[in-house]
Amino acid sequence: MKKEKQLPSTIEDFQPLNDLVLLKPIVHEMVGRIHIPSKYQARAMEATALAVGPGKISLRTGLREPMEIEPGDHVFVRYYHEADIHIDGEMCMMLPIMDIIGVIEPK
């Protein structure tokens, strides 16, 4: 009997591989009182890191390189990818760490 594969039902059940990061986009649709459609929004966008992979393995040393972000970090990403994943009813996206521009420090 063939066993069916199940998609993760919650974000806690999902673990990205290597240098991938599971992000939840933060969509700002209003600037002041002006609505901006998503296709005209800036190429860089904000997101929250939900899950982080263990890091990629260095070809030079054979050791795993540590990830520079942690779950819960608020980040800017370079651009929006089409790697959408729906987990627990939420739209998320998968990106490699190199597409993350930087971490937004809390005030």
Side-chain angles (χ1 to χ4, degrees):
M1 185 177 229
K2 191 174 180 180
K3 186 177 179 182
E4 273 189 40
K5 294 182 181 179
Q6 291 185 340
L7 293 174
S9 59
T10 64
I11 291 170
E12 290 81 25
D13 295 338
F14 189 83
Q15 177 62 47
L17 299 176
N18 298 320
D19 68 337
L20 293 176
V21 181
L22 180 68
L23 299 166
K24 179 177 179 181
I26 299 171
V27 180
H28 300 288
E29 293 188 12
M30 298 289 286
V31 176
R33 293 178 12 190
I34 301 171
H35 173 76
I36 301 174
S38 59
K39 70 178 185 177
Y40 296 114
Q41 289 180 6
R43 298 288 291 174
M45 65 181 292
E46 296 176 53
T48 301
L50 301 176
V52 178
K56 67 179 178 177
I57 296 176
S58 170
L59 295 175
R60 218 179 299 159
T61 64
L63 300 174
R64 197 169 289 277
E65 296 175 359
M67 295 292 275
E68 298 178 38
I69 66 168
E70 299 176 354
D73 282 353
H74 190 78
V75 298
F76 270 119
V77 295
R78 188 173 309 186
Y79 48 82
Y80 185 77
H81 281 262
E82 294 299 324
D84 291 346
I85 301 172
H86 293 277
I87 300 177
D88 202 15
E90 294 190 49
M91 196 275 297
C92 303
M93 60 186 183
M94 291 290 296
L95 293 176
I97 190 80
M98 65 185 292
D99 284 345
I100 297 176
I101 297 170
V103 177
I104 301 170
E105 296 293 329
K107 291 183 181 182

XYZ file of all heavy atoms in Angstrom:
846
model
N 0.838 -1.178 0.000
C 0.000 0.000 0.000
C 0.888 1.249 0.000
O 1.782 1.381 0.817
C -0.909 -0.039 1.229
C -1.901 1.064 1.282
S -2.958 0.853 2.722
C -4.507 1.044 1.954
N 0.647 2.139 -0.936
C 1.445 3.352 -1.077
C 0.998 4.386 -0.047
O -0.188 4.663 0.088
C 1.274 3.900 -2.488
C 2.244 4.987 -2.819
C 2.111 5.382 -4.279
C 3.089 6.473 -4.610
N 2.982 6.879 -5.991
N 1.966 4.949 0.663
C 1.671 5.961 1.679
C 1.609 7.342 1.023
O 2.506 7.703 0.260
C 2.748 5.933 2.756
C 2.472 6.832 3.921
C 3.558 6.691 4.965
C 3.283 7.630 6.119
N 4.332 7.557 7.126
N 0.556 8.085 1.298
C 0.413 9.436 0.735
C 1.291 10.416 1.499
O 1.385 10.356 2.717
C -1.046 9.898 0.848
C -1.889 9.470 -0.306
C -3.257 10.128 -0.253
O -3.342 11.323 0.101
O -4.217 9.441 -0.554
N 1.915 11.335 0.744
C 2.692 12.402 1.372
C 1.743 13.501 1.802
O 0.833 13.861 1.074
C 3.720 12.961 0.403
C 4.791 11.975 0.042
C 5.798 12.614 -0.883
C 6.857 11.621 -1.266
N 7.843 12.176 -2.163
N 1.966 14.024 2.994
C 1.130 15.109 3.485
C 1.950 16.390 3.535
O 3.116 16.371 3.926
C 0.588 14.792 4.872
C -0.424 13.681 4.881
C -1.015 13.508 6.265
O -0.451 13.930 7.256
N -2.172 12.890 6.320
N 1.315 17.469 3.125
C 1.950 18.777 3.257
C 1.922 19.181 4.722
O 1.046 18.754 5.464
C 1.198 19.809 2.412
C 1.291 19.603 0.906
C 0.388 20.596 0.208
C 2.711 19.755 0.425
N 2.892 19.999 5.157
C 2.869 20.425 6.553
C 1.604 21.219 6.843
O 1.193 22.065 6.055
C 4.124 21.290 6.696
C 4.573 21.597 5.324
C 4.007 20.562 4.423
N 0.992 20.926 7.977
C -0.257 21.598 8.304
C -0.022 22.902 9.058
O -0.858 23.790 9.036
C -1.154 20.674 9.130
O -0.481 20.301 10.317
N 1.106 23.022 9.737
C 1.426 24.264 10.435
C 2.848 24.686 10.078
O 3.660 23.869 9.620
C 1.320 24.103 11.967
O 2.303 23.155 12.389
C -0.063 23.646 12.390
N 3.139 25.932 10.327
C 4.465 26.468 10.018
C 5.519 25.794 10.892
O 6.635 25.556 10.448
C 4.464 28.002 10.194
C 3.600 28.604 9.091
C 5.865 28.568 10.159
C 3.292 30.053 9.237
N 5.170 25.404 12.098
C 6.112 24.734 12.994
C 6.541 23.372 12.456
O 7.585 22.850 12.828
C 5.513 24.577 14.398
C 5.372 25.879 15.158
C 4.126 26.669 14.748
O 3.147 26.069 14.257
O 4.149 27.888 14.915
N 5.730 22.753 11.587
C 6.045 21.443 11.005
C 6.957 21.546 9.794
O 7.352 20.530 9.244
C 4.754 20.730 10.555
C 3.846 20.397 11.705
O 4.330 20.322 12.853
O 2.641 20.216 11.468
N 7.317 22.743 9.374
C 8.082 22.950 8.142
C 9.511 23.343 8.481
O 9.743 24.280 9.241
C 7.416 24.038 7.293
C 8.016 24.160 5.928
C 7.618 23.315 4.911
C 8.981 25.101 5.671
C 8.171 23.416 3.646
C 9.551 25.212 4.420
C 9.140 24.371 3.406
N 10.490 22.637 7.914
C 11.898 22.960 8.103
C 12.561 23.141 6.746
O 12.696 22.185 5.988
C 12.613 21.849 8.871
C 14.100 22.072 9.035
C 14.440 23.321 9.819
O 13.863 23.559 10.868
N 15.342 24.130 9.311
N 12.972 24.391 6.399
C 13.670 24.611 5.131
C 15.012 23.884 5.101
O 15.615 23.636 6.140
C 13.883 26.125 5.089
C 12.936 26.683 6.082
C 12.755 25.626 7.121
N 15.483 23.562 3.909
C 16.766 22.896 3.736
C 17.850 23.908 3.404
O 17.582 24.988 2.870
C 16.670 21.876 2.598
C 15.666 20.750 2.802
C 15.614 19.874 1.560
C 16.009 19.924 4.021
N 19.074 23.537 3.722
C 20.277 24.303 3.374
C 20.153 25.776 3.720
O 19.925 26.121 4.872
C 20.643 24.090 1.911
C 20.969 22.636 1.647
O 21.619 21.993 2.466
N 20.513 22.111 0.537
N 20.291 26.682 2.719
C 20.284 28.123 2.997
C 18.948 28.770 2.639
O 18.886 29.966 2.378
C 21.439 28.822 2.278
C 21.294 28.836 0.775
O 20.570 27.964 0.247
O 21.891 29.705 0.129
N 17.867 27.988 2.652
C 16.551 28.548 2.336
C 15.874 29.095 3.587
O 16.108 28.622 4.702
C 15.654 27.485 1.696
C 16.106 27.012 0.319
C 15.202 25.892 -0.168
C 16.112 28.151 -0.669
N 15.030 30.113 3.369
C 14.313 30.763 4.458
C 12.832 30.830 4.087
O 12.491 31.202 2.962
C 14.860 32.195 4.697
C 14.136 32.872 5.843
C 16.349 32.170 4.953
N 11.965 30.460 5.016
C 10.519 30.591 4.834
C 10.122 31.947 5.380
O 10.383 32.259 6.544
C 9.776 29.472 5.576
C 8.262 29.502 5.473
C 7.807 29.193 4.045
C 7.644 28.511 6.445
N 9.516 32.777 4.529
C 9.170 34.153 4.892
C 7.680 34.407 4.723
O 7.049 33.840 3.827
C 9.928 35.143 4.005
C 11.445 35.106 4.074
C 12.037 35.865 2.914
C 11.926 35.680 5.381
N 7.164 35.281 5.564
C 5.797 35.766 5.395
C 5.908 37.227 4.963
O 6.420 38.071 5.707
C 5.003 35.663 6.688
C 3.600 36.189 6.509
C 2.769 36.028 7.731
C 1.420 36.618 7.366
N 0.491 36.577 8.409
N 5.452 37.555 3.749
C 5.551 38.934 3.272
C 4.687 39.880 4.093
O 3.618 39.505 4.555
C 5.040 38.867 1.837
C 4.797 37.455 1.518
C 4.841 36.671 2.762
N 5.189 41.083 4.263
C 4.417 42.155 4.899
C 4.008 43.086 3.773
O 4.850 43.723 3.143
C 5.247 42.899 5.951
C 5.682 41.924 7.045
C 4.473 44.072 6.520
C 6.670 42.505 8.016
N 2.716 43.123 3.484
C 2.213 43.899 2.352
C 1.672 45.224 2.856
O 0.799 45.258 3.716
C 1.112 43.113 1.598
C 0.596 43.928 0.432
C 1.637 41.774 1.136
N 2.220 46.303 2.320
C 1.737 47.654 2.624
C 0.963 48.134 1.409
O 1.558 48.486 0.401
C 2.903 48.601 2.909
C 3.744 48.183 4.062
N 3.323 48.271 5.361
C 4.988 47.651 4.113
C 4.269 47.834 6.165
N 5.290 47.440 5.422
N -0.352 48.118 1.497
C -1.160 48.506 0.340
C -1.554 49.978 0.346
O -2.050 50.475 -0.637
C -2.417 47.637 0.273
C -2.079 46.196 -0.031
C -3.307 45.369 -0.280
O -4.391 45.942 -0.437
O -3.172 44.144 -0.307
N -1.336 50.655 1.449
C -1.711 52.062 1.529
C -0.483 52.895 1.867
O 0.303 52.533 2.729
C -2.759 52.296 2.615
C -4.070 51.575 2.383
S -5.036 52.239 1.034
C -5.635 53.737 1.738
N -0.298 53.981 1.165
C 0.715 54.965 1.493
C -0.051 56.250 1.725
O -0.567 56.849 0.791
C 1.747 55.125 0.350
C 2.726 56.233 0.686
C 2.458 53.821 0.093
N -0.151 56.635 2.993
C -1.023 57.757 3.313
C -2.448 57.340 3.012
O -2.958 56.379 3.560
N -3.085 58.008 2.086
C -4.451 57.649 1.692
C -4.499 57.144 0.260
O -5.556 57.087 -0.339
C -5.357 58.853 1.871
C -5.509 59.214 3.334
C -6.330 60.411 3.632
N -7.112 60.962 2.545
C -7.735 62.108 2.582
N -7.658 62.839 3.670
N -8.424 62.543 1.572
N -3.345 56.780 -0.289
C -3.284 56.321 -1.670
C -3.069 54.809 -1.694
O -2.141 54.296 -1.083
C -2.128 57.012 -2.434
C -2.323 58.523 -2.420
C -2.029 56.482 -3.855
C -1.148 59.292 -2.943
N -3.940 54.101 -2.397
C -3.815 52.652 -2.551
C -2.845 52.349 -3.689
O -2.969 52.871 -4.783
C -5.188 52.032 -2.858
C -5.117 50.584 -3.200
N -4.919 49.620 -2.248
C -5.197 49.927 -4.377
C -4.895 48.443 -2.825
N -5.061 48.607 -4.126
N -1.858 51.476 -3.409
C -0.880 51.106 -4.420
C -1.093 49.632 -4.765
O -0.894 48.767 -3.917
C 0.559 51.324 -3.913
C 0.763 52.783 -3.542
C 1.573 50.869 -4.955
C 2.086 53.074 -2.903
N -1.492 49.310 -5.996
C -1.638 47.902 -6.389
C -0.308 47.166 -6.273
O 0.761 47.742 -6.472
C -2.088 47.978 -7.847
C -2.621 49.355 -8.023
C -1.860 50.229 -7.064
N -0.371 45.864 -5.962
C 0.842 45.090 -5.712
C 1.790 45.064 -6.908
O 2.996 45.025 -6.739
C 0.489 43.667 -5.293
O -0.265 43.043 -6.305
N 1.277 45.109 -8.132
C 2.185 45.052 -9.291
C 3.014 46.320 -9.453
O 3.985 46.327 -10.190
C 1.422 44.732 -10.573
C 0.517 45.830 -11.078
C -0.132 45.399 -12.390
C -0.941 46.511 -13.002
N -1.499 46.114 -14.283
N 2.645 47.414 -8.765
C 3.400 48.660 -8.853
C 4.225 48.936 -7.599
O 4.869 49.962 -7.498
C 2.466 49.844 -9.094
C 1.754 49.750 -10.415
C 0.388 49.578 -10.474
C 2.467 49.805 -11.608
C -0.274 49.475 -11.687
C 1.819 49.700 -12.821
C 0.453 49.545 -12.849
O -0.193 49.438 -14.055
N 4.213 48.016 -6.632
C 4.977 48.241 -5.417
C 6.467 48.091 -5.697
O 6.876 47.530 -6.709
C 4.528 47.278 -4.323
C 3.139 47.622 -3.810
C 2.681 46.680 -2.723
O 3.435 45.836 -2.274
N 1.452 46.838 -2.308
N 7.286 48.584 -4.785
C 8.738 48.570 -4.963
C 9.272 47.152 -5.112
O 8.662 46.198 -4.658
C 9.399 49.247 -3.764
N 10.431 47.015 -5.733
C 11.039 45.706 -5.953
C 11.570 45.096 -4.655
O 11.700 43.894 -4.566
C 12.165 45.825 -6.963
C 11.724 46.295 -8.313
C 10.956 45.283 -9.077
N 11.801 44.170 -9.475
C 11.363 43.087 -10.061
N 10.091 42.954 -10.317
N 12.178 42.126 -10.386
N 11.931 45.897 -3.672
C 12.333 45.373 -2.370
C 11.098 45.360 -1.476
O 10.264 46.245 -1.541
C 13.407 46.254 -1.750
N 10.964 44.311 -0.686
C 9.798 44.226 0.171
C 10.192 43.722 1.548
O 11.253 43.140 1.731
C 8.734 43.330 -0.448
C 9.114 41.881 -0.595
S 7.826 40.890 -1.370
C 6.572 40.912 -0.143
N 9.311 43.981 2.515
C 9.536 43.543 3.882
C 8.911 42.178 4.096
O 7.920 41.829 3.461
C 8.907 44.526 4.866
C 9.509 45.899 4.839
C 8.769 46.841 5.760
O 8.599 46.511 6.949
O 8.351 47.902 5.278
N 9.500 41.417 5.025
C 8.973 40.099 5.359
C 9.437 39.730 6.762
O 10.365 40.324 7.306
C 9.438 39.057 4.357
N 8.770 38.732 7.327
C 9.151 38.183 8.620
C 9.631 36.757 8.407
O 8.954 35.970 7.735
C 7.965 38.198 9.591
O 7.510 39.547 9.742
C 8.349 37.638 10.942
N 10.785 36.405 8.965
C 11.322 35.051 8.838
C 10.529 34.117 9.753
O 10.422 34.359 10.952
C 12.797 35.028 9.206
N 9.940 33.070 9.170
C 9.174 32.106 9.942
C 9.993 30.871 10.290
O 9.868 30.325 11.381
C 7.921 31.691 9.159
C 6.960 32.815 8.792
C 5.826 32.276 7.938
C 6.414 33.486 10.045
N 10.812 30.403 9.359
C 11.669 29.234 9.582
C 12.943 29.419 8.766
O 12.903 29.985 7.678
C 10.948 27.960 9.164
N 14.050 28.939 9.305
C 15.354 29.130 8.685
C 16.043 27.775 8.564
O 16.058 26.988 9.521
C 16.217 30.094 9.536
C 17.595 30.271 8.938
C 15.530 31.438 9.692
N 16.615 27.505 7.391
C 17.361 26.265 7.188
C 18.656 26.258 7.988
O 19.066 27.277 8.544
N 19.341 25.126 8.039
C 20.570 25.011 8.837
C 21.778 25.711 8.226
O 22.787 25.895 8.883
C 20.796 23.502 8.912
C 20.139 22.960 7.694
C 18.965 23.862 7.427
N 21.707 26.116 6.963
C 22.831 26.770 6.289
C 23.420 25.839 5.254
O 23.262 24.622 5.322
N 24.112 26.423 4.284
C 24.686 25.587 3.220
C 26.056 25.066 3.648
O 26.706 25.620 4.530
C 24.768 26.347 1.910
C 25.744 27.502 1.892
C 25.760 28.163 0.537
C 26.712 29.352 0.561
N 26.818 29.985 -0.717
N 26.483 24.007 2.993
C 27.778 23.411 3.293
C 28.827 24.063 2.405
O 28.674 24.143 1.187
C 27.734 21.887 3.079
C 26.756 21.280 4.082
C 29.113 21.277 3.217
C 26.535 19.814 3.946
N 29.895 24.542 3.016
C 30.981 25.194 2.297
C 31.734 24.177 1.455
O 32.105 23.106 1.937
C 31.945 25.852 3.282
O 33.108 26.291 2.623
N 31.965 24.505 0.185
C 32.721 23.625 -0.693
C 34.199 23.585 -0.306
O 34.895 22.607 -0.543
C 32.581 24.069 -2.142
C 31.170 23.971 -2.728
C 31.141 24.543 -4.127
C 30.686 22.534 -2.720
N 34.681 24.669 0.301
C 36.085 24.757 0.670
C 36.401 23.949 1.924
O 37.358 23.195 1.963
C 36.456 26.222 0.904
C 37.824 26.539 0.390
C 38.233 27.962 0.583
N 37.324 28.878 -0.128
C 37.181 30.141 0.165
N 37.846 30.665 1.158
N 36.377 30.898 -0.518
N 35.572 24.107 2.971
C 35.876 23.471 4.255
C 35.060 22.212 4.526
O 35.433 21.404 5.364
C 35.613 24.458 5.412
O 34.216 24.766 5.451
C 36.434 25.721 5.253
N 33.910 22.079 3.857
C 33.034 20.946 4.135
C 32.170 21.142 5.359
O 31.417 20.254 5.750
N 32.280 22.313 5.992
C 31.484 22.618 7.192
C 30.256 23.426 6.810
O 30.245 24.140 5.813
C 32.326 23.404 8.196
C 33.592 22.711 8.698
C 34.398 23.654 9.568
C 33.226 21.447 9.467
N 29.230 23.329 7.636
C 28.000 24.074 7.395
C 28.197 25.523 7.818
O 28.637 25.796 8.930
C 26.844 23.451 8.178
C 25.504 23.914 7.659
C 24.370 23.114 8.221
N 24.263 21.759 7.739
C 23.686 21.386 6.602
N 23.190 22.291 5.800
N 23.609 20.120 6.278
N 27.878 26.462 6.917
C 27.995 27.890 7.224
C 26.771 28.326 8.018
O 25.636 28.031 7.628
C 28.101 28.694 5.934
C 29.353 28.379 5.139
C 29.404 29.097 3.801
O 28.454 29.830 3.463
O 30.399 28.915 3.095
N 26.955 29.041 9.125
C 25.803 29.452 9.937
C 24.941 30.480 9.213
O 25.443 31.285 8.424
C 26.441 30.055 11.190
C 27.819 30.451 10.772
C 28.221 29.506 9.676
N 23.653 30.444 9.484
C 22.725 31.415 8.897
C 22.825 32.726 9.670
O 23.058 32.726 10.888
C 21.295 30.874 8.954
C 21.104 29.633 8.098
S 21.226 29.948 6.345
C 19.561 30.459 6.003
N 22.625 33.834 8.973
C 22.767 35.147 9.581
C 21.464 35.690 10.146
O 21.459 36.749 10.760
C 23.332 36.131 8.557
C 24.719 35.747 8.081
C 25.246 36.699 7.039
O 25.000 37.910 7.146
O 25.893 36.223 6.098
N 20.357 35.002 9.916
C 19.084 35.443 10.468
C 18.462 34.311 11.272
O 18.874 33.157 11.172
C 18.101 35.939 9.385
C 17.681 34.789 8.479
C 18.690 37.065 8.575
C 16.520 35.157 7.600
N 17.471 34.664 12.087
C 16.762 33.707 12.932
C 15.267 33.855 12.693
O 14.813 34.913 12.241
C 17.065 33.988 14.399
C 18.525 33.869 14.764
C 18.777 34.248 16.206
O 17.836 34.720 16.893
O 19.918 34.080 16.647
N 14.488 32.834 13.028
C 13.031 32.990 12.939
C 12.567 34.170 13.785
O 13.066 34.400 14.882
C 12.501 31.663 13.496
C 13.596 30.689 13.232
C 14.868 31.482 13.413
N 11.663 34.940 13.233
C 11.157 36.131 13.913
C 11.809 37.423 13.464
O 11.310 38.504 13.753
N 12.948 37.336 12.766
C 13.615 38.550 12.278
C 12.764 39.221 11.205
O 12.133 38.568 10.384
C 14.988 38.222 11.688
C 16.050 37.993 12.737
O 15.762 38.219 13.937
O 17.160 37.571 12.373
N 12.767 40.534 11.234
C 12.071 41.363 10.247
C 13.127 41.754 9.219
O 14.148 42.334 9.576
C 11.489 42.580 10.968
C 10.552 43.385 10.148
N 9.258 43.002 9.926
C 10.723 44.547 9.498
C 8.669 43.910 9.172
N 9.538 44.859 8.901
N 12.909 41.404 7.935
C 13.945 41.573 6.918
C 13.410 42.290 5.681
O 12.203 42.379 5.473
C 14.531 40.197 6.492
C 15.199 39.512 7.660
C 13.469 39.304 5.879
N 14.345 42.804 4.883
C 14.058 43.288 3.533
C 14.554 42.229 2.567
O 15.670 41.721 2.716
C 14.789 44.600 3.224
C 14.027 45.832 3.586
C 14.536 46.718 4.514
C 12.815 46.113 2.992
C 13.845 47.859 4.845
C 12.116 47.256 3.317
C 12.634 48.121 4.252
N 13.739 41.897 1.575
C 14.165 40.949 0.549
C 14.311 41.683 -0.770
O 13.635 42.678 -1.014
C 13.188 39.755 0.413
C 13.195 38.934 1.674
C 11.799 40.203 0.087
N 15.190 41.171 -1.603
C 15.547 41.835 -2.863
C 14.351 41.994 -3.781
O 14.084 43.037 -4.306
C 16.635 41.036 -3.561
C 17.199 41.731 -4.767
C 18.354 41.004 -5.318
N 19.280 40.751 -4.210
C 20.464 40.223 -4.342
N 20.877 39.861 -5.510
N 21.245 40.033 -3.315
N 13.629 40.954 -4.016
C 12.455 41.031 -4.870
C 11.563 39.843 -4.571
O 11.975 38.899 -3.919
C 12.814 41.086 -6.354
C 13.803 40.062 -6.794
C 13.407 38.761 -7.095
C 15.151 40.379 -6.910
C 14.327 37.816 -7.482
C 16.070 39.435 -7.303
C 15.656 38.161 -7.588
O 16.567 37.236 -7.973
N 10.384 39.888 -5.082
C 9.389 38.872 -4.823
C 9.577 37.695 -5.774
O 9.683 37.869 -6.963
C 7.997 39.473 -4.997
C 6.893 38.541 -4.638
C 6.574 38.292 -3.325
C 6.178 37.896 -5.627
C 5.555 37.430 -2.996
C 5.164 37.028 -5.312
C 4.853 36.797 -3.999
O 3.856 35.935 -3.679
N 9.639 36.498 -5.235
C 9.765 35.280 -6.035
C 8.403 34.637 -6.214
O 7.470 34.892 -5.464
C 10.683 34.278 -5.323
C 12.115 34.591 -5.486
N 12.896 33.982 -6.419
C 12.928 35.448 -4.834
C 14.122 34.438 -6.333
N 14.170 35.331 -5.381
N 8.304 33.764 -7.162
C 7.068 33.033 -7.406
C 7.029 31.715 -6.637
O 6.261 30.835 -6.972
C 6.902 32.775 -8.909
C 6.708 34.045 -9.705
C 5.463 34.814 -9.304
O 4.447 34.192 -8.969
O 5.515 36.048 -9.308
N 7.855 31.557 -5.616
C 7.882 30.327 -4.828
C 6.920 30.452 -3.651
O 7.310 30.416 -2.500
C 9.295 30.034 -4.347
N 5.650 30.627 -3.961
C 4.639 30.765 -2.911
C 4.279 29.405 -2.337
O 4.163 28.423 -3.060
C 3.368 31.407 -3.463
C 3.570 32.863 -3.833
O 4.593 33.431 -3.429
O 2.703 33.409 -4.519
N 4.104 29.373 -1.042
C 3.683 28.172 -0.340
C 2.543 28.579 0.583
O 2.634 29.605 1.263
C 4.833 27.584 0.501
C 6.017 27.231 -0.375
C 4.364 26.380 1.292
C 7.233 26.823 0.398
N 1.487 27.805 0.589
C 0.380 28.074 1.506
C 0.447 27.067 2.637
O 0.255 25.873 2.421
C -0.966 27.985 0.780
C -1.129 29.086 -0.218
N -1.571 30.338 0.133
C -0.875 29.153 -1.542
C -1.602 31.115 -0.934
N -1.171 30.414 -1.971
N 0.776 27.546 3.838
C 0.859 26.705 5.021
C -0.050 27.298 6.077
O 0.023 28.487 6.372
C 2.300 26.622 5.564
C 3.230 26.040 4.508
C 2.351 25.780 6.837
C 4.673 25.994 4.931
N -0.871 26.455 6.658
C -1.754 26.875 7.745
C -2.636 28.048 7.306
O -2.920 28.950 8.084
C -0.909 27.244 8.969
C -1.679 27.171 10.275
O -2.768 26.567 10.284
O -1.191 27.723 11.282
N -3.017 28.056 6.012
C -3.886 29.104 5.491
C -3.194 30.427 5.226
O -3.841 31.412 4.884
N -1.878 30.486 5.390
C -1.138 31.727 5.175
C -0.264 31.607 3.933
O 0.331 30.568 3.685
C -0.255 32.042 6.372
C -1.023 32.346 7.629
C -0.112 32.879 8.706
O 0.679 33.803 8.410
O -0.195 32.389 9.823
N -0.153 32.699 3.169
C 0.710 32.727 2.007
C 2.127 33.047 2.476
O 2.372 34.046 3.139
C 0.236 33.780 1.007
C 0.817 33.623 -0.385
S 2.429 34.357 -0.661
C 2.127 36.068 -0.423
N 3.049 32.153 2.169
C 4.456 32.317 2.539
C 5.296 32.202 1.277
O 4.787 31.865 0.219
C 4.875 31.234 3.530
S 3.874 31.178 5.016
N 6.592 32.495 1.384
C 7.479 32.343 0.239
C 8.819 31.797 0.714
O 9.219 32.002 1.857
C 7.655 33.663 -0.493
C 8.224 34.787 0.302
S 8.204 36.294 -0.665
C 9.010 37.413 0.466
N 9.482 31.067 -0.190
C 10.794 30.493 0.087
C 11.841 31.271 -0.702
O 11.679 31.494 -1.900
C 10.846 29.031 -0.354
C 10.011 28.114 0.469
S 10.644 27.868 2.133
C 12.184 27.078 1.801
N 12.906 31.687 -0.020
C 14.001 32.403 -0.672
C 15.334 31.891 -0.160
O 15.440 31.514 1.008
C 13.943 33.903 -0.346
C 12.803 34.727 -0.871
C 12.902 36.142 -0.335
C 12.841 34.761 -2.369
N 16.366 31.923 -0.989
C 17.707 31.657 -0.455
C 18.173 32.876 0.343
O 17.736 34.005 0.103
C 18.552 31.447 -1.714
C 17.806 32.127 -2.800
C 16.353 32.091 -2.428
N 19.054 32.642 1.280
C 19.535 33.714 2.159
C 20.154 34.866 1.363
O 20.067 36.021 1.769
C 20.532 33.163 3.206
C 20.871 34.194 4.278
C 21.803 32.680 2.557
C 19.861 34.342 5.335
N 20.735 34.580 0.188
C 21.394 35.647 -0.584
C 20.404 36.679 -1.141
O 20.804 37.767 -1.523
C 22.253 35.061 -1.706
C 21.459 34.338 -2.761
S 22.488 33.533 -3.998
C 23.195 34.927 -4.836
N 19.093 36.358 -1.176
C 18.103 37.321 -1.645
C 17.585 38.212 -0.524
O 16.735 39.070 -0.757
C 16.922 36.604 -2.318
C 17.285 36.126 -3.708
O 18.299 36.568 -4.255
O 16.540 35.286 -4.247
N 18.088 38.028 0.686
C 17.715 38.897 1.805
C 18.727 40.027 1.880
O 19.929 39.799 2.008
C 17.642 38.107 3.121
C 16.527 37.055 3.000
C 17.426 39.036 4.296
C 16.402 36.145 4.175
N 18.235 41.270 1.770
C 19.097 42.437 1.732
C 19.650 42.769 3.113
O 20.814 43.098 3.276
C 18.339 43.658 1.174
C 17.920 43.385 -0.267
C 19.170 44.918 1.259
C 16.969 44.411 -0.827
N 18.792 42.700 4.136
C 19.247 43.036 5.478
C 18.155 42.823 6.487
O 16.985 42.609 6.166
N 18.557 42.911 7.756
C 17.650 42.747 8.888
C 17.262 44.125 9.397
O 18.097 45.016 9.516
C 18.328 41.929 10.016
C 17.423 41.805 11.220
C 18.732 40.566 9.500
N 15.987 44.305 9.678
C 15.501 45.568 10.240
C 15.550 45.415 11.754
O 14.865 44.564 12.331
C 14.061 45.862 9.767
C 14.023 45.943 8.237
C 13.553 47.141 10.418
C 12.632 45.979 7.674
N 16.379 46.212 12.401
C 16.550 46.124 13.847
C 15.353 46.738 14.562
O 14.869 47.801 14.166
C 17.817 46.860 14.276
C 19.096 46.262 13.720
C 19.391 44.886 14.288
O 19.025 44.607 15.441
O 19.999 44.085 13.555
N 14.862 46.078 15.633
C 13.749 46.663 16.391
C 14.214 47.908 17.137
O 15.373 48.002 17.540
C 13.335 45.555 17.361
C 14.511 44.650 17.426
C 15.271 44.792 16.150
N 13.295 48.855 17.316
C 13.643 50.106 18.006
C 13.433 49.967 19.493
O 12.665 49.266 19.984
C 12.796 51.254 17.469
C 13.158 51.595 16.061
C 12.363 52.762 15.580
C 12.742 53.074 14.134
N 12.063 54.210 13.602
